[in-house]
Short mmCIF file of all heavy atoms in Angstrom, two decimals:
data_model
loop_
_atom_site.label_atom_id
_atom_site.label_comp_id
_atom_site.label_asym_id
_atom_site.label_seq_id
_atom_site.Cartn_x
_atom_site.Cartn_y
_atom_site.Cartn_z
N ALA P 96 94.04 127.97 107.28
CA ALA P 96 93.09 128.93 107.04
C ALA P 96 92.36 128.78 105.65
O ALA P 96 91.16 128.74 105.57
CB ALA P 96 93.66 130.38 107.06
N GLY P 97 93.22 128.57 104.62
CA GLY P 97 92.63 128.33 103.33
C GLY P 97 91.87 127.03 103.27
O GLY P 97 90.79 126.94 102.65
N ILE P 98 92.41 126.01 103.91
CA ILE P 98 91.71 124.65 103.83
C ILE P 98 90.40 124.72 104.52
O ILE P 98 89.44 124.13 104.13
CB ILE P 98 92.71 123.58 104.35
CG1 ILE P 98 93.95 123.49 103.48
CG2 ILE P 98 92.02 122.25 104.42
CD1 ILE P 98 95.06 122.73 104.01
N SER P 99 90.38 125.38 105.74
CA SER P 99 89.15 125.47 106.56
C SER P 99 88.11 126.19 105.77
O SER P 99 86.90 125.87 105.79
CB SER P 99 89.37 126.14 107.88
OG SER P 99 90.21 125.42 108.67
N LEU P 100 88.56 127.31 105.15
CA LEU P 100 87.58 128.10 104.35
C LEU P 100 86.98 127.23 103.22
O LEU P 100 85.75 127.25 102.98
CB LEU P 100 88.30 129.29 103.75
CG LEU P 100 87.50 130.50 103.39
CD1 LEU P 100 86.65 130.91 104.58
CD2 LEU P 100 88.39 131.63 102.97
N PHE P 101 87.84 126.46 102.58
CA PHE P 101 87.34 125.55 101.56
C PHE P 101 86.44 124.53 102.20
O PHE P 101 85.36 124.21 101.69
CB PHE P 101 88.54 124.87 100.87
CG PHE P 101 88.12 123.91 99.79
CD1 PHE P 101 87.95 124.36 98.49
CD2 PHE P 101 87.91 122.57 100.06
CE1 PHE P 101 87.55 123.49 97.51
CE2 PHE P 101 87.48 121.67 99.10
CZ PHE P 101 87.34 122.18 97.78
N GLY P 102 86.85 123.99 103.30
CA GLY P 102 86.04 122.96 103.99
C GLY P 102 84.67 123.45 104.37
O GLY P 102 83.73 122.71 104.38
N ALA P 103 84.57 124.77 104.68
CA ALA P 103 83.26 125.35 104.99
C ALA P 103 82.24 125.04 103.92
O ALA P 103 81.09 124.81 104.15
CB ALA P 103 83.35 126.82 105.27
N GLY P 104 82.69 125.12 102.67
CA GLY P 104 81.80 124.89 101.58
C GLY P 104 81.77 123.46 101.14
O GLY P 104 80.96 123.08 100.23
N TYR P 105 82.75 122.66 101.66
CA TYR P 105 82.88 121.30 101.06
C TYR P 105 82.01 120.26 101.74
O TYR P 105 81.34 119.51 101.12
CB TYR P 105 84.40 120.93 101.19
CG TYR P 105 84.67 119.51 100.68
CD1 TYR P 105 84.87 119.40 99.27
CD2 TYR P 105 84.72 118.45 101.49
CE1 TYR P 105 85.14 118.12 98.78
CE2 TYR P 105 84.98 117.18 101.02
CZ TYR P 105 85.21 117.03 99.65
OH TYR P 105 85.48 115.77 99.14
N PHE P 106 82.06 120.26 103.09
CA PHE P 106 81.34 119.13 103.75
C PHE P 106 79.86 119.22 103.55
O PHE P 106 79.25 120.19 103.65
CB PHE P 106 81.69 119.17 105.24
CG PHE P 106 83.12 118.83 105.53
CD1 PHE P 106 84.00 119.76 106.00
CD2 PHE P 106 83.58 117.56 105.26
CE1 PHE P 106 85.29 119.44 106.29
CE2 PHE P 106 84.91 117.20 105.46
CZ PHE P 106 85.76 118.18 105.96
N ARG P 107 79.30 118.05 103.19
CA ARG P 107 77.90 117.98 102.88
C ARG P 107 77.16 117.07 103.81
O ARG P 107 77.81 116.28 104.53
CB ARG P 107 77.67 117.47 101.45
CG ARG P 107 78.44 118.19 100.39
CD ARG P 107 77.74 119.31 99.74
NE ARG P 107 78.66 120.19 99.14
CZ ARG P 107 78.93 120.18 97.85
NH1 ARG P 107 78.40 119.29 97.07
NH2 ARG P 107 79.79 121.09 97.35
N ARG P 108 75.93 117.04 103.75
CA ARG P 108 75.19 116.05 104.53
C ARG P 108 75.40 114.63 103.95
O ARG P 108 75.68 114.51 102.75
CB ARG P 108 73.68 116.38 104.33
CG ARG P 108 72.81 115.93 105.49
CD ARG P 108 71.43 116.52 105.35
NE ARG P 108 71.41 117.92 105.58
CZ ARG P 108 71.55 118.53 106.80
NH1 ARG P 108 71.66 117.79 107.85
NH2 ARG P 108 71.51 119.83 106.89
N GLY P 109 75.38 113.68 104.82
CA GLY P 109 75.45 112.29 104.28
C GLY P 109 76.95 111.95 103.99
O GLY P 109 77.19 111.04 103.21
N GLU P 110 77.90 112.61 104.61
CA GLU P 110 79.29 112.23 104.33
C GLU P 110 79.76 111.11 105.27
O GLU P 110 80.95 110.83 105.36
CB GLU P 110 80.18 113.45 104.57
CG GLU P 110 80.03 114.52 103.54
CD GLU P 110 80.99 114.37 102.34
OE1 GLU P 110 82.16 114.07 102.53
OE2 GLU P 110 80.52 114.51 101.18
N GLY P 111 78.85 110.55 106.00
CA GLY P 111 79.24 109.52 106.97
C GLY P 111 79.16 110.04 108.37
O GLY P 111 78.12 109.94 109.01
N THR P 112 80.28 110.66 108.90
CA THR P 112 80.23 111.23 110.17
C THR P 112 79.31 112.47 110.23
O THR P 112 79.22 113.22 109.25
CB THR P 112 81.67 111.64 110.53
OG1 THR P 112 82.48 110.53 110.35
CG2 THR P 112 81.78 112.11 112.04
N LEU P 113 78.67 112.69 111.41
CA LEU P 113 77.81 113.85 111.54
C LEU P 113 78.63 115.08 111.43
O LEU P 113 79.79 115.15 111.85
CB LEU P 113 77.11 113.84 112.87
CG LEU P 113 76.09 112.68 113.12
CD1 LEU P 113 75.59 112.76 114.53
CD2 LEU P 113 74.94 112.93 112.13
N PRO P 114 78.07 116.23 110.92
CA PRO P 114 78.85 117.46 110.74
C PRO P 114 79.43 117.99 112.01
O PRO P 114 80.61 118.40 112.06
CB PRO P 114 77.84 118.45 110.19
CG PRO P 114 76.68 117.64 109.69
CD PRO P 114 76.69 116.37 110.30
N GLY P 115 78.65 117.97 113.12
CA GLY P 115 79.13 118.43 114.36
C GLY P 115 80.35 117.69 114.86
O GLY P 115 81.36 118.23 115.34
N LEU P 116 80.30 116.35 114.72
CA LEU P 116 81.34 115.52 115.19
C LEU P 116 82.61 115.68 114.33
O LEU P 116 83.75 115.73 114.83
CB LEU P 116 80.88 114.06 115.11
CG LEU P 116 81.65 112.98 115.90
CD1 LEU P 116 81.79 113.40 117.30
CD2 LEU P 116 81.02 111.69 115.73
N LEU P 117 82.33 115.84 113.03
CA LEU P 117 83.45 116.12 112.07
C LEU P 117 84.14 117.42 112.46
O LEU P 117 85.34 117.45 112.46
CB LEU P 117 82.86 116.23 110.70
CG LEU P 117 83.84 116.22 109.57
CD1 LEU P 117 84.33 114.83 109.41
CD2 LEU P 117 83.17 116.70 108.29
N CYS P 118 83.37 118.42 112.81
CA CYS P 118 83.92 119.74 113.26
C CYS P 118 84.78 119.53 114.49
O CYS P 118 85.91 120.11 114.55
CB CYS P 118 82.79 120.66 113.49
SG CYS P 118 83.25 122.23 114.18
N LEU P 119 84.36 118.70 115.42
CA LEU P 119 85.15 118.48 116.61
C LEU P 119 86.49 117.79 116.28
O LEU P 119 87.56 118.28 116.68
CB LEU P 119 84.37 117.60 117.58
CG LEU P 119 85.12 117.14 118.79
CD1 LEU P 119 85.48 118.37 119.72
CD2 LEU P 119 84.42 116.11 119.58
N GLN P 120 86.39 116.70 115.44
CA GLN P 120 87.63 116.03 115.05
C GLN P 120 88.58 116.91 114.35
O GLN P 120 89.78 116.89 114.60
CB GLN P 120 87.26 114.81 114.19
CG GLN P 120 86.44 113.70 114.92
CD GLN P 120 85.79 112.80 113.92
OE1 GLN P 120 85.89 112.90 112.72
NE2 GLN P 120 85.14 111.76 114.50
N TYR P 121 88.01 117.67 113.39
CA TYR P 121 88.90 118.55 112.58
C TYR P 121 89.56 119.56 113.43
O TYR P 121 90.85 119.68 113.26
CB TYR P 121 87.96 119.25 111.52
CG TYR P 121 88.58 120.13 110.53
CD1 TYR P 121 89.01 119.60 109.30
CD2 TYR P 121 88.85 121.40 110.74
CE1 TYR P 121 89.62 120.37 108.37
CE2 TYR P 121 89.41 122.24 109.79
CZ TYR P 121 89.82 121.72 108.66
OH TYR P 121 90.45 122.50 107.68
N HIS P 122 88.84 120.23 114.28
CA HIS P 122 89.58 121.28 115.05
C HIS P 122 90.47 120.77 116.15
O HIS P 122 91.45 121.31 116.47
CB HIS P 122 88.52 122.26 115.60
CG HIS P 122 87.97 123.12 114.55
ND1 HIS P 122 86.81 122.92 113.95
CD2 HIS P 122 88.49 124.19 113.89
CE1 HIS P 122 86.54 123.81 112.97
NE2 HIS P 122 87.57 124.57 112.93
N LEU P 123 90.12 119.54 116.69
CA LEU P 123 91.06 118.91 117.60
C LEU P 123 92.36 118.51 116.92
O LEU P 123 93.43 118.60 117.45
CB LEU P 123 90.42 117.70 118.25
CG LEU P 123 89.41 117.89 119.43
CD1 LEU P 123 88.98 116.58 120.00
CD2 LEU P 123 90.10 118.77 120.48
#
Side-chain angles (χ1 to χ4, degrees):
Chain P
I98 297 168
S99 295
L100 204 53
F101 180 89
Y105 179 83
F106 290 113
R107 309 268 160 97
R108 206 171 291 286
E110 290 269 318
T112 308
L113 291 175
L116 196 55
L117 193 74
C118 173
L119 174 67
Q120 294 164 355
Y121 183 91
H122 287 100
L123 280 185

